[in-house]
Amino acid sequence: MAERERTQGAGETTDRRTRARGRESRRKITEAAATVAGERGYEGTTIAQVSKVSGLPASSIYWHFADKDALLAAVVEESIELWLGQVTRGEGESLEERVTELCLGVARTFRESPDFLRLVLMLALERRPVEPVAREIYLRLRGEAIERIAAELEKVRPGLAGADARLLATYALGGGDGIFLASLTGDADVAALFRLHAEAIVHLVEQAEAAGS
């Protein structure tokens, strides 16, 4: 009995180590894929390049993902969940506090996930006869982000019409995209731009609410 328990315990330890190694390999692969795709775009990304950057053989990548499309779809889906959590945290009681937290959340993604942001912007801009799954996922989850931001605005401004809230949420994300592009193409003061962006959103929300009252 004792010998069997020791054998079972050793087997469970080995299984945990195997799963941990699998999770670590998957993390390295998705991070490498985000880096490569952020630099080269969807079409320019290859399994061979991801293998080189991750330091893992192509066979390991194919063990986790069926093909490049499945890999980049996983990168987008996993990264955007973190992004959604940052931009829709819903902290603060006042409109100014909520909007400031929204903008700070977007700014955090600049620091933490620049490769991911480059990738999704490329996916949004690139059009093909057959759209990759990664683009479809991004567009769907971006739509969810707009709805969630609109809901946050309506919480602190109940008089704001739903259509206006969604329009302002779309503007808020679009402005963040613009600031990210500015940071890539010039010497932009990102913090100052987001402060200005927050002020503009607050003003527009108050203006829309007043017009609808």
Side-chain angles (χ1 to χ4, degrees), residues 6-211:
R6 282 195 296 271
T7 301
Q8 290 174 342
E12 290 173 359
T13 299
T14 300
D15 288 344
R16 285 196 297 271
R17 288 174 179 169
T18 299
R19 288 194 296 270
R21 285 196 295 269
R23 288 192 296 270
E24 178 62 14
S25 294
R26 194 179 193 280
R27 183 190 63 79
K28 288 181 179 179
I29 292 165
T30 54
E31 287 182 354
T35 298
V36 173
E39 293 173 353
R40 298 173 177 266
Y42 181 88
E43 294 295 346
T45 299
T46 65
I47 295 296
Q49 289 162 345
V50 174
S51 174
K52 180 178 180 180
V53 172
S54 68
L56 296 169
S59 59
S60 179
I61 298 173
Y62 284 117
W63 190 86
H64 289 281
F65 304 100
D67 52 27
K68 179 181 76 171
D69 197 23
L71 169 56
L72 292 183
V75 171
V76 169
E77 190 159 26
E78 292 174 9
S79 299
I80 210 166
E81 289 299 334
L82 173 63
W83 176 74
L84 277 172
Q86 292 284 4
V87 303
T88 59
R89 293 178 66 174
E91 296 181 0
E93 296 299 322
S94 69
L95 172 65
E96 290 81 1
E97 289 171 335
R98 290 284 177 107
V99 170
T100 298
E101 187 59 35
L102 161 67
C103 289
L104 289 175
V106 176
R108 278 190 290 271
T109 64
F110 278 42
R111 297 191 303 270
E112 297 170 5
S113 307
D115 292 327
F116 162 68
L117 288 171
R118 282 193 292 270
L119 168 60
V120 295
L121 284 175
M122 289 180 183
L123 286 171
L125 293 171
E126 294 177 355
R127 302 297 300 270
R128 302 173 187 81
V130 178
E131 297 290 5
V133 175
R135 186 175 191 273
E136 294 175 1
I137 290 173
Y138 168 64
L139 294 178
R140 174 174 57 81
L141 293 177
R142 186 181 178 90
E144 290 181 15
I146 289 171
E147 293 298 327
R148 288 168 63 174
I149 293 170
E152 293 296 325
L153 292 176
E154 290 180 87
K155 283 181 184 178
V156 290
R157 282 293 193 272
L160 188 65
D164 288 337
R166 287 188 291 275
L167 182 62
L168 288 162
T170 303
Y171 166 80
L173 283 187
D177 293 340
I179 293 172
F180 180 63
L181 288 173
S183 73
L184 296 177
T185 58
D187 186 19
D189 186 336
V190 171
L193 287 172
F194 269 110
R195 284 194 295 271
L196 185 63
H197 189 41
E199 292 175 7
I201 295 170
V202 169
H203 172 73
L204 291 171
V205 169
E206 291 176 339
Q207 190 177 59
E209 187 180 31

